[in-house]
Amino acid sequence: MTIHSLRGFRDILPPDSGVFYAIESAAREVFKLYGYREIRIPTLEARELFVKSTGDTTDIVQKEMYAFTDQGGREIAARPEGTPGVVRAYIENNLSQNGGNGKYFYMGGMFRAERPQAGRYREFEQIGAECIGAHGAFADAESISMLMEMLKKAGLSGCMAEINSLGCATCRAAYRAGLLGFLKTNPAALCEVCRTRMEKNPLRALDCKLDGPRLALEAPAIKLCPSCQLHFSRVQELLSALNAPFKVNKSLVRGLDYYTRTIFEVKTGASGGSQDALAGGGRYDELVKSMGGPDAPAVGWAMGVDRVALLLKGLIPESDAAQVFVVCAGSGSPAVVPIEKSGEEPYWEGRLGKIQQDGGNTPEASSRAFALLGELRAAGIRTDFSDFNLSLKSQLRSADKSGAYLALILGDEEIKNSVYALKFLKEKKDQRNVPAAEIIPAIKAALPVK
Ligand code: AMP
């Protein structure tokens, strides 16, 4: 009996893992430009952290959290999102004392027991950014535009940020009352969970996976107090100044409790389904204080790497496949098949094939080929090989499968004449001889610019 991965948990294999890597690399570059530094937070936290910050009426905490009691009787949860852990770390390590805004980013797996489907998994990766200690609309606009910049850098064009404001505690009190009144006019239109939590948190109904989108369109919109209105207008002005593509979506709500003022989601025009949100975030001015920290207003977001990767699949060049595959034209091993007698079309024709038919090369050729691997890698060229004892045909098959751009072929004859054969494995499929002394510059010139 074989053991399978859990439902909603999956292996990310090459070449898909290369797409994840490319997104992470783009993110790291952009974070560096914006002064964000990495914070690595634990995967497991006290369950209470999420109950108090994400919110005990949210779907995430009520239905989706992987929570358990550990051997010491402690209530533990696998993080369903990153912000609570970053805020805990900020408070626990007195990071506010570093002065200025605390700008942190994180990357890693999040866990939610949702119903798995395309683009929705039970373990998924988020890249997140938090700017803690910043009051002004500049922080909101910088955070959103950085996210857009990152998606562009990763290779996704045409993304759009949808923004809205949930106001402050004052705006929210009036809004809650109005919303509750609206929900009570037709309780039959609500799912059972929303009916039971409506008194405690009417906003949740707008974020319900079942009825949320419909209710959000019908419900009364929030009326912002002058100060929140000013903040929201300023965010829009600043986003326009940065040419960040955005639009106001008055029915946008977000599923977590701690948001105040600006909230946003980034979508792509491409998919159009319910899984089209690539990232989401907003301001959380009260969270740090409510968790026992200083009065530190903040803004942040999380991007779903799996979803971005789904869209980028096949669109970006593989950055982790070998560039050059070294092949040894016969090594004297009994595994060598004389290719002209194999009954198939000769895979490789010409002088090298003849060498092989002649009975293979001495170990000198394979030793030279093996040393060459090290020389190419030292020159920064991603280099691979299969097994120099295998037939030329088999090695070239591996070269093709590897996704390498070039095969570098050598045998005794090449060593004697100090030339290597460089074979293009992609479009052109042609081949030329290069003097051994010039091989590294020749390879670099032949490789496509990334
Ligand atoms: P959230 O933390 O719910 O605001 O989600 C932020 C982003 O994470 C979303 O826009 C998605 O791209 C991604 N995301 C959230 N939940 C999942 C999931 N179950 N599977 C894959 N990606 C997810």
Side-chain angles (χ1 to χ4, degrees), residues 135 137 140 144 161-176 179 203 206 216 219-236 239 246-254 256-265 281-285 298-299:
H135 202 271
D140 310 39
I144 296 170
E162 294 189 0
I163 65 170
N164 196 12
S165 175
L166 290 179
C168 59
T170 319
C171 325
R172 202 90 71 92
Y175 180 52
R176 275 175 72 106
L179 190 59
L203 253 88
L206 304 185
I222 191 162
K223 285 202 178 53
L224 299 177
C225 70
S227 159
C228 287
Q229 184 54 57
L230 191 66
H231 184 96
F232 192 41
S233 305
R234 192 74 180 121
V235 171
Q236 293 173 57
L239 282 174
F246 77 95
K247 64 179 179 204
V248 174
N249 175 358
K250 283 280 172 201
S251 54
L252 179 69
V253 276
R254 301 266 307 131
L256 318 174
D257 269 3
Y258 47 68
Y259 287 121
T260 50
R261 294 195 158 177
T262 321
I263 53 165
F264 50 91
E265 258 178 17
R283 208 165 239 295
Y284 47 98
D285 288 345
V299 57

Coordinates of all heavy atoms in Angstrom, one line a residue, residues 135 137 140 144 161-176 179 203 206 216 219-236 239 246-254 256-265 281-285 298-299:
H135 N 1.4 56.0 10.0 CA 0.1 56.5 10.1 C -0.4 57.0 8.8 O -1.6 56.8 8.4 CB 0.1 57.7 11.1 CG -1.2 58.0 11.7 ND1 -2.1 58.9 11.1 CD2 -1.8 57.5 12.8 CE1 -3.2 58.9 11.9 NE2 -3.0 58.1 12.9
A137 N -1.1 58.2 4.7 CA -1.6 57.5 3.5 C -0.4 57.1 2.6 O -0.6 56.3 1.8 CB -2.5 58.4 2.8
D140 N 0.2 53.4 3.0 CA -0.8 52.6 2.2 C -0.5 52.6 0.8 O -0.4 51.5 0.1 CB -2.2 53.2 2.3 CG -2.7 53.5 3.8 OD1 -1.8 54.0 4.5 OD2 -3.8 53.3 4.1
I144 N 0.8 49.3 -1.4 CA 0.0 48.8 -2.6 C 0.8 48.8 -3.9 O 0.9 47.9 -4.6 CB -1.3 49.6 -2.8 CG1 -2.2 49.4 -1.5 CG2 -2.0 49.1 -4.0 CD1 -3.4 50.3 -1.5
A161 N -5.5 46.7 -8.7 CA -5.8 46.7 -7.3 C -7.2 47.3 -7.1 O -7.5 48.3 -7.7 CB -4.8 47.6 -6.5
E162 N -8.0 46.6 -6.3 CA -9.3 47.2 -5.9 C -9.2 47.7 -4.5 O -8.7 46.9 -3.6 CB -10.4 46.1 -6.0 CG -10.6 45.6 -7.5 CD -11.8 44.7 -7.7 OE1 -12.5 44.4 -6.7 OE2 -12.0 44.3 -8.8
I163 N -9.6 48.9 -4.3 CA -9.5 49.4 -2.9 C -10.8 49.9 -2.4 O -11.7 50.2 -3.1 CB -8.4 50.5 -2.9 CG1 -8.9 51.8 -3.7 CG2 -7.1 50.1 -3.4 CD1 -8.0 53.0 -3.4
N164 N -10.9 49.9 -1.0 CA -12.0 50.4 -0.3 C -11.6 50.9 1.0 O -10.4 50.7 1.4 CB -13.1 49.3 -0.2 CG -14.5 49.8 0.1 OD1 -14.7 51.1 0.1 ND2 -15.4 48.9 0.5
S165 N -12.5 51.6 1.7 CA -12.1 51.9 3.1 C -13.2 51.4 4.1 O -14.4 51.6 3.8 CB -12.0 53.4 3.3 OG -11.8 53.8 4.6
L166 N -12.8 50.8 5.1 CA -13.7 50.3 6.2 C -13.8 51.3 7.3 O -14.5 51.1 8.3 CB -13.2 49.0 6.8 CG -13.2 47.8 5.9 CD1 -12.7 46.6 6.6 CD2 -14.7 47.5 5.4
G167 N -13.1 52.5 7.2 CA -13.2 53.5 8.2 C -12.6 53.1 9.5 O -12.0 52.1 9.6
C168 N -12.8 54.0 10.5 CA -12.2 53.8 11.8 C -13.3 53.2 12.7 O -14.4 53.0 12.3 CB -11.6 55.1 12.4 SG -12.9 56.3 12.5
A169 N -13.0 53.1 14.0 CA -14.0 52.6 15.0 C -15.3 53.4 15.0 O -16.4 52.9 15.0 CB -13.4 52.5 16.4
T170 N -15.1 54.7 14.8 CA -16.3 55.6 14.8 C -17.2 55.4 13.6 O -18.4 55.2 13.8 CB -15.8 57.1 14.8 OG1 -14.7 57.3 15.7 CG2 -16.9 58.0 15.2
C171 N -16.6 55.3 12.4 CA -17.4 55.1 11.2 C -18.0 53.7 11.3 O -19.1 53.5 10.9 CB -16.6 55.1 9.9 SG -15.2 56.3 9.8
R172 N -17.3 52.8 11.9 CA -17.7 51.4 11.9 C -18.9 51.2 12.8 O -19.8 50.4 12.4 CB -16.5 50.5 12.3 CG -16.6 49.1 11.9 CD -16.0 48.8 10.5 NE -14.5 48.9 10.7 CZ -13.8 47.9 10.9 NH1 -14.3 46.7 11.1 NH2 -12.5 48.0 11.0
A173 N -19.0 51.9 13.9 CA -20.1 51.7 14.8 C -21.4 52.0 14.1 O -22.3 51.2 14.2 CB -19.9 52.6 16.0
A174 N -21.5 53.1 13.4 CA -22.7 53.5 12.7 C -23.0 52.5 11.6 O -24.1 52.1 11.3 CB -22.6 54.9 12.1
Y175 N -21.9 52.1 10.9 CA -22.0 51.1 9.8 C -22.6 49.8 10.3 O -23.5 49.2 9.6 CB -20.7 51.0 9.1 CG -20.6 50.0 8.0 CD1 -21.5 50.2 6.9 CD2 -19.7 49.0 7.9 CE1 -21.5 49.3 5.8 CE2 -19.7 48.2 6.8 CZ -20.6 48.3 5.8 OH -20.5 47.5 4.7
R176 N -22.0 49.3 11.4 CA -22.5 48.0 11.9 C -24.0 48.0 12.2 O -24.7 47.1 11.8 CB -21.8 47.8 13.3 CG -20.4 47.1 13.2 CD -19.8 47.0 14.5 NE -20.5 46.0 15.3 CZ -19.9 44.8 15.6 NH1 -18.7 44.6 15.2 NH2 -20.6 44.0 16.3
L179 N -25.9 48.0 9.0 CA -25.7 46.7 8.3 C -26.6 45.6 9.0 O -27.2 44.8 8.3 CB -24.2 46.3 8.3 CG -23.8 45.1 7.5 CD1 -24.2 45.4 6.0 CD2 -22.3 44.9 7.6
L203 N -20.5 42.4 9.8 CA -19.6 42.5 8.6 C -19.2 41.2 8.0 O -19.0 41.1 6.8 CB -18.3 43.2 9.0 CG -18.2 44.7 8.5 CD1 -18.8 45.6 9.5 CD2 -16.8 45.0 8.3
L206 N -20.9 39.8 4.8 CA -20.4 40.3 3.5 C -19.2 39.6 2.9 O -18.9 39.6 1.8 CB -20.1 41.8 3.6 CG -21.2 42.7 4.2 CD1 -20.7 44.2 4.1 CD2 -22.4 42.6 3.4
A216 N -22.9 41.9 -0.4 CA -22.0 43.1 -0.5 C -22.5 44.1 -1.5 O -22.3 45.3 -1.3 CB -20.6 42.7 -0.8
A219 N -26.0 45.6 0.3 CA -25.9 46.2 1.6 C -25.6 47.7 1.5 O -25.0 48.1 0.5 CB -24.8 45.5 2.4
P220 N -26.0 48.5 2.5 CA -25.7 49.9 2.5 C -24.1 50.1 2.5 O -23.5 49.3 3.2 CB -26.3 50.4 3.7 CG -26.6 49.3 4.6 CD -26.7 48.1 3.7
A221 N -23.6 51.1 1.8 CA -22.2 51.3 1.9 C -21.8 52.1 3.1 O -22.6 52.8 3.7 CB -21.7 52.1 0.6
I222 N -20.5 51.9 3.5 CA -20.1 52.6 4.8 C -20.0 54.1 4.5 O -19.6 54.6 3.4 CB -18.7 52.0 5.2 CG1 -18.4 52.5 6.6 CG2 -17.6 52.4 4.2 CD1 -17.3 51.7 7.3
K223 N -20.4 54.9 5.5 CA -20.2 56.4 5.4 C -18.9 56.7 6.2 O -18.9 56.4 7.4 CB -21.4 57.1 6.0 CG -22.6 57.1 5.0 CD -23.6 58.2 5.3 CE -24.7 58.2 4.4 NZ -25.4 56.9 4.3
L224 N -17.9 57.3 5.6 CA -16.7 57.6 6.3 C -16.7 58.9 7.0 O -17.3 59.9 6.5 CB -15.5 57.6 5.3 CG -15.3 56.3 4.5 CD1 -14.1 56.5 3.5 CD2 -14.9 55.1 5.5
C225 N -16.1 59.0 8.2 CA -16.0 60.2 8.9 C -15.0 61.1 8.1 O -14.2 60.6 7.3 CB -15.5 60.0 10.3 SG -13.8 59.5 10.4
P226 N -15.0 62.4 8.3 CA -14.2 63.3 7.5 C -12.7 62.9 7.5 O -12.0 62.9 6.5 CB -14.3 64.7 8.1 CG -15.7 64.6 8.8 CD -15.9 63.2 9.3
S227 N -12.2 62.5 8.6 CA -10.8 62.1 8.7 C -10.5 60.9 7.9 O -9.5 60.8 7.1 CB -10.4 61.9 10.2 OG -9.3 61.2 10.3
C228 N -11.4 59.9 8.0 CA -11.1 58.6 7.2 C -11.3 58.9 5.7 O -10.7 58.4 4.8 CB -12.1 57.5 7.6 SG -11.7 56.8 9.2
Q229 N -12.3 59.8 5.4 CA -12.5 60.2 4.0 C -11.3 60.9 3.4 O -10.9 60.5 2.3 CB -13.7 61.1 3.9 CG -14.1 61.5 2.5 CD -14.4 60.3 1.6 OE1 -15.2 59.4 1.9 NE2 -13.6 60.1 0.5
L230 N -10.7 61.7 4.2 CA -9.5 62.4 3.7 C -8.3 61.4 3.5 O -7.6 61.5 2.5 CB -9.1 63.5 4.8 CG -8.0 64.5 4.4 CD1 -8.6 65.4 3.3 CD2 -7.5 65.3 5.6
H231 N -8.2 60.5 4.4 CA -7.1 59.5 4.3 C -7.3 58.7 3.0 O -6.4 58.5 2.2 CB -7.2 58.6 5.5 CG -6.1 57.5 5.5 ND1 -4.9 57.7 6.2 CD2 -6.0 56.3 4.9 CE1 -4.1 56.7 6.0 NE2 -4.8 55.8 5.3
F232 N -8.6 58.3 2.8 CA -8.9 57.4 1.6 C -8.6 58.2 0.3 O -8.1 57.7 -0.6 CB -10.3 57.0 1.7 CG -10.7 55.9 0.7 CD1 -9.8 54.8 0.5 CD2 -11.9 55.9 0.0 CE1 -10.1 53.8 -0.5 CE2 -12.2 54.9 -0.9 CZ -11.3 53.9 -1.1
S233 N -9.0 59.5 0.3 CA -8.8 60.3 -0.9 C -7.3 60.5 -1.2 O -6.8 60.4 -2.3 CB -9.4 61.7 -0.7 OG -10.7 61.6 -0.4
R234 N -6.6 60.7 -0.1 CA -5.1 60.9 -0.2 C -4.5 59.6 -0.8 O -3.6 59.7 -1.6 CB -4.6 61.2 1.2 CG -3.2 61.7 1.2 CD -3.0 63.1 0.7 NE -1.6 63.5 0.7 CZ -1.0 63.9 -0.4 NH1 -1.5 64.0 -1.6 NH2 0.3 64.2 -0.3
V235 N -4.9 58.4 -0.3 CA -4.4 57.1 -0.8 C -4.6 57.1 -2.3 O -3.6 56.8 -3.1 CB -5.0 55.9 -0.1 CG1 -4.6 54.6 -0.8 CG2 -4.7 55.9 1.4
Q236 N -5.8 57.5 -2.7 CA -6.0 57.4 -4.2 C -5.2 58.4 -5.0 O -4.6 58.1 -6.0 CB -7.5 57.8 -4.4 CG -8.4 56.7 -3.9 CD -9.9 57.0 -3.9 OE1 -10.4 57.3 -5.0 NE2 -10.6 57.0 -2.8
L239 N -1.7 57.0 -5.1 CA -1.6 55.8 -6.0 C -1.6 56.3 -7.5 O -0.8 55.8 -8.3 CB -2.8 54.9 -5.8 CG -2.7 53.9 -4.6 CD1 -4.0 53.2 -4.5 CD2 -1.5 53.0 -4.8
F246 N -5.4 51.0 -10.2 CA -6.3 50.7 -9.1 C -7.7 51.2 -9.5 O -7.9 52.1 -10.3 CB -5.9 51.3 -7.8 CG -6.1 52.8 -7.7 CD1 -7.3 53.3 -7.1 CD2 -5.3 53.7 -8.2 CE1 -7.6 54.7 -7.0 CE2 -5.5 55.1 -8.2 CZ -6.7 55.6 -7.6
K247 N -8.7 50.6 -8.8 CA -10.1 51.2 -8.9 C -10.7 51.0 -7.5 O -10.4 50.1 -6.8 CB -10.9 50.6 -10.0 CG -11.2 49.1 -9.8 CD -12.0 48.6 -11.0 CE -12.3 47.1 -10.9 NZ -12.5 46.4 -12.1
V248 N -11.7 51.9 -7.2 CA -12.4 51.8 -5.9 C -13.5 50.8 -6.1 O -14.2 50.8 -7.1 CB -13.0 53.2 -5.5 CG1 -13.8 53.1 -4.3 CG2 -11.8 54.2 -5.3
N249 N -13.6 49.9 -5.2 CA -14.7 48.9 -5.2 C -15.4 49.0 -3.9 O -15.0 48.5 -2.9 CB -14.1 47.5 -5.4 CG -15.2 46.4 -5.3 OD1 -16.4 46.7 -5.0 ND2 -14.8 45.2 -5.5
K250 N -16.6 49.7 -3.9 CA -17.3 50.0 -2.7 C -17.8 48.8 -2.0 O -18.2 48.8 -0.8 CB -18.5 51.0 -3.0 CG -18.0 52.4 -3.2 CD -17.8 53.0 -1.8 CE -17.2 54.4 -1.9 NZ -16.6 54.8 -0.6
S251 N -18.0 47.7 -2.7 CA -18.5 46.5 -2.0 C -17.4 45.5 -1.6 O -17.7 44.4 -1.2 CB -19.5 45.7 -2.9 OG -18.9 45.5 -4.2
L252 N -16.1 46.0 -1.7 CA -15.0 45.1 -1.2 C -15.0 45.0 0.3 O -15.1 46.0 1.0 CB -13.7 45.7 -1.7 CG -12.4 44.9 -1.3 CD1 -12.4 43.5 -2.0 CD2 -11.2 45.7 -1.6
V253 N -15.0 43.8 0.8 CA -14.8 43.6 2.3 C -13.7 42.6 2.4 O -13.3 41.9 1.5 CB -16.1 43.1 3.0 CG1 -17.0 44.2 3.3 CG2 -16.7 42.0 2.1
R254 N -13.1 42.5 3.6 CA -12.0 41.5 3.8 C -12.4 40.6 5.0 O -13.0 41.1 5.9 CB -10.7 42.2 4.0 CG -10.3 43.1 2.9 CD -9.4 42.5 1.8 NE -8.3 41.9 2.5 CZ -7.8 40.6 2.2 NH1 -8.5 39.9 1.4 NH2 -6.8 40.1 2.8
L256 N -11.0 39.4 7.6 CA -10.4 39.3 8.9 C -10.9 40.5 9.7 O -11.3 41.5 9.2 CB -8.8 39.4 8.8 CG -8.3 38.5 7.7 CD1 -6.8 38.8 7.5 CD2 -8.5 37.1 7.9
D257 N -10.8 40.4 11.0 CA -11.4 41.3 12.0 C -10.6 42.6 12.1 O -11.2 43.7 12.5 CB -11.5 40.7 13.4 CG -12.9 40.0 13.5 OD1 -13.6 40.0 12.5 OD2 -13.2 39.5 14.6
Y258 N -9.3 42.6 11.9 CA -8.5 43.7 12.4 C -8.4 44.9 11.4 O -7.7 45.9 11.8 CB -7.1 43.2 12.8 CG -6.4 42.3 11.8 CD1 -6.0 42.8 10.5 CD2 -6.1 41.0 12.1 CE1 -5.3 42.0 9.6 CE2 -5.5 40.2 11.2 CZ -5.1 40.6 10.0 OH -4.4 39.8 9.1
Y259 N -9.0 44.8 10.2 CA -8.8 45.9 9.3 C -9.5 47.2 9.7 O -10.6 47.2 10.2 CB -9.2 45.5 7.9 CG -8.3 44.5 7.2 CD1 -8.7 43.2 6.9 CD2 -7.0 44.8 7.0 CE1 -7.9 42.3 6.3 CE2 -6.1 43.9 6.4 CZ -6.5 42.7 6.1 OH -5.7 41.8 5.5
T260 N -8.8 48.3 9.4 CA -9.4 49.6 9.6 C -9.0 50.4 8.3 O -8.0 50.1 7.7 CB -8.8 50.4 10.8 OG1 -7.3 50.3 10.7 CG2 -9.2 49.8 12.1
R261 N -9.8 51.4 8.0 CA -9.5 52.3 6.9 C -9.2 51.5 5.6 O -10.0 50.6 5.2 CB -8.3 53.2 7.2 CG -8.7 54.2 8.3 CD -7.8 55.4 8.4 NE -8.4 56.5 9.1 CZ -7.8 57.6 9.4 NH1 -6.6 57.8 9.1 NH2 -8.5 58.6 9.9
T262 N -8.1 51.7 4.9 CA -7.9 51.2 3.6 C -7.8 49.6 3.6 O -7.1 49.0 4.4 CB -6.5 51.6 3.0 OG1 -6.4 53.0 3.4 CG2 -6.4 51.5 1.5
I263 N -8.6 49.0 2.7 CA -8.4 47.6 2.4 C -8.3 47.4 0.9 O -8.7 48.3 0.2 CB -9.6 46.7 2.9 CG1 -10.9 47.2 2.4 CG2 -9.6 46.6 4.4 CD1 -12.1 46.2 2.5
F264 N -7.6 46.4 0.5 CA -7.4 46.2 -1.0 C -7.2 44.7 -1.3 O -6.9 43.9 -0.5 CB -6.2 47.0 -1.5 CG -5.0 46.8 -0.6 CD1 -4.0 45.8 -1.0 CD2 -4.7 47.6 0.5 CE1 -2.9 45.6 -0.2 CE2 -3.6 47.4 1.2 CZ -2.6 46.4 0.9
E265 N -7.5 44.5 -2.6 CA -7.3 43.1 -3.1 C -6.7 43.4 -4.5 O -7.1 44.3 -5.2 CB -8.6 42.3 -3.2 CG -8.7 41.3 -2.1 CD -10.0 40.5 -2.1 OE1 -10.7 40.5 -3.1 OE2 -10.2 39.9 -1.1
G281 N -5.0 42.8 1.4 CA -4.4 43.4 2.6 C -5.1 44.6 3.0 O -6.2 44.9 2.6
G282 N -4.5 45.4 3.9 CA -5.1 46.6 4.4 C -4.5 47.2 5.6 O -3.4 46.7 6.0
R283 N -5.1 48.2 6.1 CA -4.5 48.9 7.3 C -5.1 48.2 8.6 O -6.2 47.7 8.6 CB -5.0 50.3 7.2 CG -4.2 51.3 7.9 CD -4.4 52.7 7.6 NE -3.2 53.3 7.0 CZ -2.1 53.4 7.7 NH1 -2.0 53.0 9.0 NH2 -1.0 53.9 7.1
Y284 N -4.3 48.1 9.6 CA -4.7 47.6 10.9 C -4.2 48.5 12.0 O -3.2 48.1 12.6 CB -4.4 46.1 11.0 CG -3.0 45.7 10.7 CD1 -2.0 45.6 11.7 CD2 -2.6 45.5 9.4 CE1 -0.7 45.2 11.5 CE2 -1.3 45.1 9.1 CZ -0.4 44.9 10.2 OH 0.9 44.6 9.9
D285 N -4.9 49.6 12.2 CA -4.4 50.6 13.1 C -4.5 50.3 14.5 O -3.8 50.8 15.4 CB -5.1 52.0 12.8 CG -4.6 52.6 11.5 OD1 -3.6 52.1 10.9 OD2 -5.3 53.5 11.0
A298 N -0.7 50.4 11.3 CA 0.1 49.6 10.4 C -0.7 49.3 9.1 O -1.9 49.4 9.1 CB 0.5 48.3 11.1
V299 N 0.1 48.8 8.1 CA -0.6 48.4 6.9 C 0.2 47.3 6.3 O 1.4 47.2 6.4 CB -0.7 49.6 5.9 CG1 0.6 50.2 5.5 CG2 -1.4 49.2 4.6

